[in-house]
Amino acid sequence: MKSHQTAQTMKPATAAKKLGVYLEATPAEFREGVVSRAELNALQNEPPQWLQDLRRNGPHPRPVVAAKLGISISGLARGGITEALTTEQIEALKAENPEWLQKERSTQAEVRKESVRIKQKHAEEAQRAAERSGDR
C-alpha cells in the first residue's frame, strides 16, 4: 500500500504571521492563494523584494510593532495603537516617547524581571528535588 503525501498548505494569514508581515500590505497574489510549506521556506530563505521592503519599512503587524517598541501587544492597545505602523511611524513614536510608552516599557521590564525570578526559583526547586531523590 502506497501512502500519498500531500503538500502541507496554510492560509495567507498564517504565512504572513510566520513571516512577520502585515497581511493587508502583501501583494494580492499572496493574499488570494494558499502557501505551501515549501513556498514559505523559500520566502524565508530568499525573500523577494516585496517581502524585504515590508520587513524594512512596514506597515508592521502589532506583534512586530510591540517588539520594536519594547512593550507588549496589550500595552499597544492601552496606548491606543490598534493599527499597523510603518517603521517611520514607530521611530517617530520612539523619538516622541510619550508617557504611556515610558510606562509600558517599565511594565514590560518588570514582567521580564519577574519571569527570570520565577525561572530561577523553578530551577532551584528542581535541583533540590533531584538532590533529595539522589539521597535515597
Side-chain angles (χ1 to χ4, degrees), residues 31-85:
R31 288 191 310 267
E32 293 165 1
V34 293
V35 180
S36 72
R37 174 63 62 187
E39 290 169 331
L40 179 69
N41 289 339
L43 287 169
Q44 288 173 324
N45 295 331
E46 293 182 33
Q49 191 61 48
W50 66 264
L51 182 53
Q52 292 175 36
D53 292 343
L54 270 180
R55 286 178 168 167
R56 185 179 324 104
N57 304 320
H60 303 287
R62 288 180 312 144
V64 174
V65 173
K68 287 178 178 279
L69 290 173
I71 63 175
S72 67
I73 296 172
S74 300
L76 273 181
R78 284 189 293 271
I81 307 293
T82 57
E83 312 253 328
L85 298 179

Side-chain angles (χ1 to χ4, degrees), residues 2 14 33 37 51 72 74 76 78 82 93 100 106-107 110 129 133:
K2 239 195 222 181
T14 304
R37 174 63 62 187
L51 182 53
S72 67
S74 300
L76 273 181
R78 284 189 293 271
T82 57
L93 200 51
W100 71 264
S106 72
T107 300
E110 290 299 319
S133 67

